[in-house]
Amino acid sequence: MRDTRPVLDDSVVLIDGPWRHRFVDANGIRFHVAEQGTGPLILLLHGFPEFWWTWHRQMPALAGAGYRVAAVDLRGYGASDKPPRGYDAYTMASDVIGLIRALGERDAVVVGHDLGGLLGFAAAGFHPRSVRRLVVLSSAHPLRQRAALAVDPRGQLAASRHILKFQLPRFEHVVTRDDAAMVASLMSHWAGPQWRGTPEFDAYVRACRDAIQLPQAAFCALEAYRWALRTALRVAGRRFVRLLQEPLKVPTLQLHGSRDTCILPRTAQGSGRYVTANYEWRLLRGVGHFPQLEAPDTVTSEILRWCKE
């Protein structure tokens, strides 16, 4: 049967609120940013399969506390450009730094969730002068995650089996099939039990299902994960590992849900060994893979505390 659903456009992610939507050019492409407040910059990076909207519970509070908050759609997501290439960690980390510059700042507090957390680690490692402080949610240092996939086959490797599927050609069509049913399934599996099935959860999953069905969005989202495995044994992959072996000199706070089934707590907790600056780890009891939505007040207060220290 022919699919007669209308093709979605960027308007599905330009959600109204106390923020303003703008587009900025950085690192050769155009990014969509939702921005609110004035003051020192806090740059918010989302994960897979999301978009800037994942931070809507934090933005008003952070702006009200005297910060300029910018929640970005990463390269290939939401209303940002979706070029056919550029999904390697080097380019996407440079995107982060380019965005800070494009927003008129020399540095920023970077807050990243999931893929955004991994990019936060990379950006802080490659460009430490541009990242004032780092907050990572539901993610692990890239070298720690790489090691866990190798030494924890029944744990992190099993939890990452979706990434193995992402390597298949044209798998983006599986992701968007049946109104992006796979996105709903993954998010339901990863979410904490107290949030899963609530009206807020259902509404958020609906928004993410729409966003991943934007033209080319699913393909672009999978390309970052394909690069990670394709280059693991190549020169680019070895160079990436070598660069990240330099200890991180940016003060780093890690927040992680105890019920996270995507990035296991034991995987993420080992990230501290790669940080020589001030480092804190906090486990959020009963929370799954989406702390910014499952425990929004706690996450907001922790970000503010880390910004002010």
Side-chain angles (χ1 to χ4, degrees), residues 28-76:
I29 68 169
R30 189 183 75 155
F31 289 90
H32 164 247
V33 177
E35 189 176 38
Q36 185 178 0
T38 59
L41 178 62
I42 300 177
L43 184 64
L44 304 173
L45 310 175
H46 66 83
F48 173 88
E50 304 168 274
F51 62 110
W52 75 270
W53 179 243
T54 195
W55 302 109
H56 72 277
R57 296 291 297 274
Q58 280 70 47
M59 291 182 67
L62 296 177
Y67 291 92
R68 178 189 180 193
V69 187
V72 61
D73 283 333
L74 297 177
R75 172 185 294 255

Side-chain angles (χ1 to χ4, degrees), residues 19-235:
W19 40 76
R20 69 187 182 107
H21 295 284
R22 60 180 295 203
F23 293 89
V24 297
D25 293 324
N27 205 25
I29 68 169
R30 189 183 75 155
F31 289 90
H32 164 247
V33 177
E35 189 176 38
Q36 185 178 0
T38 59
L41 178 62
I42 300 177
L43 184 64
L44 304 173
L45 310 175
H46 66 83
F48 173 88
E50 304 168 274
F51 62 110
W52 75 270
W53 179 243
T54 195
W55 302 109
H56 72 277
R57 296 291 297 274
Q58 280 70 47
M59 291 182 67
L62 296 177
Y67 291 92
R68 178 189 180 193
V69 187
V72 61
D73 283 333
L74 297 177
R75 172 185 294 255
Y77 287 84
S80 291
D81 280 353
K82 301 171 181 63
R85 56 185 58 87
Y87 300 96
D88 57 280
Y90 302 106
T91 301
M92 295 188 78
S94 295
D95 288 346
V96 175
I97 305 306
L99 279 161
I100 294 172
R101 300 284 190 271
L103 292 168
E105 302 292 340
R106 297 178 61 183
D107 59 26
V109 173
V110 174
V111 182
H113 169 252
D114 184 76
L115 174 62
L118 185 149
L119 296 177
F121 272 124
F126 300 159
H127 310 278
R129 293 184 179 180
S130 297
V131 180
R132 190 163 64 251
R133 284 180 170 265
L134 177 63
V135 182
V136 174
L137 288 74
S138 308
S139 189
H141 188 279
L143 298 188
R144 174 57 192 158
Q145 183 156 342
R146 179 187 174 104
L149 290 171
V151 304
D152 190 10
R154 295 185 179 181
Q156 191 56 60
L157 182 61
S160 303
R161 56 186 176 272
H162 59 285
I163 296 178
L164 301 179
K165 295 179 182 177
F166 290 171
Q167 309 306 310
L168 298 174
R170 301 179 63 82
F171 196 79
E172 57 270 18
H173 299 294
V174 178
V175 173
T176 57
R177 182 186 300 160
D178 298 328
D179 193 20
M182 184 177 183
V183 166
S185 177
L186 288 172
M187 295 181 73
S188 180
H189 178 61
W190 294 340
Q194 295 180 354
W195 187 54
R196 185 190 308 123
T198 65
E200 181 185 353
F201 171 82
D202 293 339
Y204 183 66
V205 171
R206 178 67 268 168
C208 291
R209 292 172 74 173
D210 288 343
I212 205 68
Q213 292 182 79
L214 289 170
Q216 297 302 311
F219 168 80
C220 296
L222 300 194
E223 279 295 280
Y225 296 98
R226 289 167 174 166
W227 177 86
L229 286 192
R230 279 198 305 253
T231 62
L233 299 177
R234 297 179 184 174
V235 172

